[in-house]
């Protein structure tokens, strides 16, 4: 499965290599799955770590160096899609756009705007849901 990993899952995985988001990240990144990350995810990660976790920037650099070797970095298309209207937070819409354009089967997130959106393709899943699917 092609799995686009949202920023909140990446943050949790980077901060806690023992948690469920880390397990979901690892599962998404290895065969038979194909992990994806979009350009906006990388920008958000850096911005959030600089603001909230400035003392953990070295950890983020290490995490990103491995993540960018194992995950496919996909672009965020410029043109909006009709499906985006289902996402309340306009800042999250480019991530859905990237997932659709990259033909992701799953968007892995803990963000309620995605989880409550009603979007069916890609499937929206939490890390806990994802680690329990076969």
């Amino acid at each position: 499965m092609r799995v686009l990993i949202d920023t909140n899952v990446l943050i949790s995985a980077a901060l806690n290599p023992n948690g469920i988001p880390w397990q979901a990240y690892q599962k998404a990144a290895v065969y038979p799955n194909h992990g994806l990350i979009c350009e906006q995810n990388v920008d958000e990660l850096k911005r959030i770590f600089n603001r909230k976790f400035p003392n953990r920037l070295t950890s983020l650099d290490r995490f990103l160096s491995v993540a960018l070797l194992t995950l496919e970095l996909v672009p965020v298309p410029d043109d909006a899609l009709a499906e985006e209207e289902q996402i309340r937070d306009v800042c999250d819409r480019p991530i859905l756009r990237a997932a659709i354009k990259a033909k992701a089967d799953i968007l892995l997130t803990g963000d309620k705007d995605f989880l409550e959106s009603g979007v069916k393709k890609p499937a929206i899943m939490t890390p806990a849901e994802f680690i329990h699917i076969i």
Side-chain angles (χ1 to χ4, degrees), residues 71-117:
L71 304 174
E72 179 183 348
L73 180 64
V74 299
V76 176
D78 293 328
D79 297 329
L81 302 172
E83 295 91 326
E84 292 178 41
E85 296 298 319
Q86 294 177 265
I87 306 297
R88 287 185 301 246
D89 185 348
V90 295
C91 294
D92 287 335
R93 292 177 181 181
I95 294 171
L96 177 63
R97 189 181 319 145
I100 291 170
K101 181 69 173 173
K103 297 181 175 34
D105 299 297
I106 295 171
L107 196 158
L108 186 60
T109 186
D111 188 324
K112 287 189 180 198
D113 286 324
F114 282 118
L115 295 169
E116 296 173 355
S117 69

